[in-house]
Amino acid sequence: MQVIDIHNHFFPESWPDLAARFGTPNWPWIKHTEPGKAEIMVGDRFFRKIYSACWDPEVRLQEMDRDGVDLQIISATPVLFAYDRPIEHALDCARIFNQAALDLCARGKGRLKSLCQVPLQNVDTACQELSRCMKEGHVGVQIGNHVGVRNLDDAEIVTFLHHCAGENAAVLVHPWDMFGMERMPKYMMPWTVGMPAETQLSIVALILSGAFDRLPPSLRICFAHGGGSFPYLLGRLENAWHHHPVARGQCEHPPSQYLNRFFADSAVFDQRSLQYLVNTMGADRVMLGSDYPFPLGEESVGSLIRQSALPEESKKKLLSSNAANFLGIKQPETQGTERNVAAEKAADISSPITPEAGKLTYSSYLQVPELLQLQHPQSIPAHHDELLFIIVHQTYELWFKELLHDLDAVVLNLRRAGEAPQSHDEVYEAARLLRRCTEITRVLVEQFTILETMLPTHFLAFRGLLEPASGFQSEQFREIEFLCGLKDEKMLRYHRPTPEAYASLKRRLEEPSLRDVFFGALQAIGKLQPSSPDATEKERFDARARAVHELYKDERNHRDWIDVCERLTEFDELVVSWRLRHIQLVERIIGFRMGTGGSAGASYLKLTLDKKFFPELWEARTLLTS
Ligand code: HEM
């Protein structure tokens, strides 16, 4: 069993002088007081004493060994959030500490992973930074439980949470910036009283606002410190919900129905509280979180759970598997039995090359464990066919990614071909890559048959849970259309909830398309005359079709360009085949029902059959005579 602590903190040993960098006062800085000890200061104010475990991986790993912790999910601390600072400063600050977290993890012998921080005051920037960080290797994000007066049910923060679900990022909500500070000047009351109340407020806001009804169940969100005072006072909330309409808010179900939508950590420091927390939330929803290595953290990490009277099975969940589910990571195999250990040894002897620990393996290179953790059926219990439905779509998206990668390279080669008309290499290369695109698309057309092994009734058993998710929201499909030249700005509206997708599509809309670059190249090599500025769209179209027509008429001299034309035409043809097979599948599975994206379903999709990426190539065929 791999023991995972999902809530603990770090500080780097040093970081740039933020006050000087941004020209504003009261930024946190670190004052080293003696070897291995330091104080965090905020401007001139003392904030907290810390020690080398915050920055020294050796110390951390030793203490993890002492406490029997295998993996720590480290995060920075709320004092660094900077949500009230100008967005550029907050982003810069986030990046400094996000990089510091990765640096610490890199020295953690595979036993440290990190949650990033984002400038949550601006949803677009926060989403972008999260996506960047996920690509860089963070496993999720730690956010403060509010931004000024905006609670977690604020529309922009909910958009950010949506984005986290889309990015498969685990979210740890940490209370901070406690209300009523003027009434809690002493005795660490902001930590002992304010923080639990802040967390309760956040959970209640997400439930009563109906945000959990709108957020995808795939969102993995955890509240620190045992969910604050929420679990203990759930009864009060439930009572108000049932008896006082004004206390109901917009949620569809009573509050107790939302306990399966979030996690809480185990930082409650008392056996009765832990037992109560598990009774309330369920043994699948509580995870080891220690607040290590801060003064209010658990001293011997994990001992509360280990010494509890919880059944062994539940202890394992709290110490290990719940966190793995929360983080979407696969756990290492548990120790094998004597028999299979012996069998492994025998296999070792006969195997010519034995993988060495720490070296690249098939699995680590391809990130197989991570890949296999990415399927999260919505049906409970999971309907047998939902896994197929997810995997088929994911496979399409992977191929779409490859298509975009190759089509971008085709654009580059055609652009270069226009710049160096004497060289034919780029034209051949464009044709070669286009052949790959057509072969991929052929597979994509075929793949629908696998989904057709699903009975309509089986799909209907879980279809309702998918709304309003729809193929309309496939960013990459739309990117392919825009990149090839089929641009429809209206389609952007389906991507408003995901600012990153929206931004990429907007960029594709504005960039010259494959079609533009192709005709630009024909112009550069003198096969297409530049059209006059006042030429109509129809005149430009006709001139382009005629240029292609000229190429075909002079086959001996233009074999390379004709090959590109043929490949583009074939690709166009195959995309139409894809559309047709998709329509047949839709009719077969849901008949003429409406789509989950709000369209008229198959009847709407039929209207897309006439769409072509490269209409001039088709028109040129009409122009050819015998
Ligand atoms: C049970 C299987 C499927 C059904 C019932 C289905 C249904 C639909 C419907 C009704 C639409 C129209 C938009 C809407 O109102 O939601 C649509 C669009 C779309 N679907 Fe599917 N679909 C299925 C499988 C797939 C698969 C496997 C893919 C692969 C990526 C896919 C990709 C798309 C795309 C990209 C669109 C947008 C098409 C466009 O705007 O031209 N669908 N789907």
Side-chain angles (χ1 to χ4, degrees), residues 9 23 30 124 158 225 234 308 321 333 395 479 495 522 545:
H9 301 285
I30 185 165
D124 290 342
V158 172
H225 314 135
L234 173 61
S308 72
S321 56
E333 292 295 319
T395 317
E479 264 197 71
H495 302 276
L522 289 195

Coordinates of all heavy atoms in Angstrom, one line a residue, residues 9 23 30 124 158 225 234 308 321 333 395 479 495 522 545:
H9 N 2.7 21.3 2.9 CA 3.2 22.5 2.3 C 4.7 22.6 2.1 O 5.4 21.9 2.8 CB 2.7 23.7 3.1 CG 1.2 23.8 3.2 ND1 0.4 24.2 2.2 CD2 0.4 23.5 4.2 CE1 -0.8 24.2 2.5 NE2 -0.9 23.7 3.8
G23 N 7.5 46.5 -7.2 CA 7.4 47.9 -6.7 C 6.3 48.1 -5.8 O 5.7 49.2 -5.7
I30 N 11.5 35.4 2.9 CA 12.0 34.4 3.9 C 13.3 34.9 4.5 O 14.2 35.4 3.9 CB 12.3 33.0 3.2 CG1 12.7 32.0 4.2 CG2 13.3 33.1 2.1 CD1 12.6 30.5 3.6
D124 N -9.4 33.7 -17.0 CA -8.7 33.3 -18.2 C -7.3 32.9 -17.9 O -6.7 31.9 -18.3 CB -8.7 34.4 -19.2 CG -10.1 34.6 -19.8 OD1 -10.9 33.7 -19.7 OD2 -10.4 35.7 -20.4
V158 N -16.5 29.0 -10.9 CA -17.1 27.8 -11.4 C -16.5 27.4 -12.7 O -16.2 26.3 -13.0 CB -18.6 27.9 -11.4 CG1 -19.2 26.7 -12.0 CG2 -19.1 28.0 -9.9
H225 N -8.7 20.3 6.1 CA -9.1 20.3 7.5 C -10.4 19.6 7.7 O -11.3 20.2 8.4 CB -9.1 21.7 8.1 CG -7.9 22.5 7.7 ND1 -8.0 23.8 7.3 CD2 -6.6 22.2 7.7 CE1 -6.7 24.3 7.0 NE2 -5.9 23.3 7.2
L234 N -23.8 19.6 9.0 CA -24.7 19.2 7.8 C -26.1 19.0 8.2 O -27.1 19.4 7.5 CB -24.1 17.9 7.2 CG -24.9 17.3 6.1 CD1 -25.1 18.2 4.9 CD2 -24.3 16.0 5.6
S308 N -6.9 4.7 14.6 CA -8.3 4.8 14.8 C -8.9 3.4 14.8 O -8.3 2.4 14.6 CB -8.9 5.5 13.6 OG -8.8 4.7 12.4
S321 N -5.8 4.6 -1.2 CA -6.5 4.5 -2.5 C -7.4 5.7 -2.8 O -7.6 6.0 -3.9 CB -7.3 3.2 -2.6 OG -8.2 3.0 -1.5
E333 N 2.0 -1.7 -7.8 CA 1.5 -3.0 -7.3 C 1.8 -3.3 -5.9 O 2.9 -2.9 -5.4 CB 2.1 -4.1 -8.2 CG 1.7 -4.1 -9.6 CD 0.2 -4.4 -9.8 OE1 -0.2 -5.3 -9.1 OE2 -0.4 -3.7 -10.6
T395 N -10.1 8.0 -28.2 CA -9.2 7.6 -29.3 C -9.4 8.6 -30.5 O -8.4 9.0 -31.1 CB -9.6 6.2 -29.8 OG1 -9.8 5.4 -28.6 CG2 -8.6 5.6 -30.6
E479 N -11.0 22.8 -34.6 CA -9.7 23.3 -35.0 C -9.3 22.8 -36.4 O -8.8 23.5 -37.2 CB -8.6 22.9 -34.0 CG -8.3 24.0 -32.9 CD -7.0 23.8 -32.2 OE1 -6.0 23.9 -32.8 OE2 -7.1 23.4 -31.0
H495 N -17.5 27.0 -26.9 CA -16.2 26.8 -26.2 C -16.0 27.9 -25.1 O -15.0 28.0 -24.5 CB -15.1 26.8 -27.2 CG -15.2 25.7 -28.1 ND1 -14.8 24.4 -27.8 CD2 -15.8 25.6 -29.3 CE1 -15.1 23.6 -28.8 NE2 -15.8 24.3 -29.7
L522 N 0.7 28.7 -54.7 CA 0.5 28.6 -56.2 C 0.8 30.0 -56.7 O 1.3 30.2 -57.8 CB -0.9 28.2 -56.5 CG -1.3 26.7 -56.3 CD1 -2.6 26.4 -57.0 CD2 -0.1 25.8 -56.8
A545 N -9.7 28.2 -58.9 CA -10.1 26.9 -59.6 C -9.4 26.8 -60.9 O -8.9 25.7 -61.3 CB -11.6 26.8 -59.8

